[in-house]
Amino acid sequence: MEMEEQPKIGIYPGSFDPVTFGHLDIIERSSQIFDKMIVGVLCNNAKKPLFSADERVKMLRSVTSHIPNVEVRAFDGLLVDFA
């Protein structure tokens, strides 16, 4: 019995406060390697971000809207739990 190949999923975590061209470059290149690329926007209550988590998610969704396999989500806590 053959095993079904699992999709390759990548996670790029960060605060993205604000998102930069460098971030976008990494997301674009990673999206070509993985079947699905998840961008995790960290919500760290210990820091005072320039933009709220919702604003950062909206910005990232806007600048990655041309990449069909990218998903942007906010998370808090440990990356291993988010994964």
Side-chain angles (χ1 to χ4, degrees), residues 21-36:
F21 287 120
H23 293 135
L24 184 57
D25 181 55
I26 291 170
I27 294 166
E28 287 175 338
R29 289 188 290 135
S30 299
S31 71
Q32 296 172 6
I33 297 169
F34 296 100
D35 299 317
K36 181 177 187 176

Side-chain angles (χ1 to χ4, degrees), residues 1 5 7 11 16-18 23-24 26 29-30 33-34 36 38 40-41 43 46 50 54 59 63 68 75 77 82:
M1 179 180 263
E5 187 174 324
I11 299 177
F16 305 102
D17 189 36
H23 293 135
L24 184 57
I26 291 170
R29 289 188 290 135
S30 299
I33 297 169
F34 296 100
K36 181 177 187 176
I38 300 172
V41 178
C43 304
L50 183 61
D54 286 341
M59 281 189 276
V63 300
F75 78 99
F82 177 64

Side-chain angles (χ1 to χ4, degrees), residues 14 40-46 53 56 73-83:
V41 178
L42 177 63
C43 304
N44 185 347
N45 293 332
R56 290 179 278 154
R73 292 192 221 166
F75 78 99
D76 60 1
L78 298 174
L79 176 60
V80 69
D81 293 331
F82 177 64

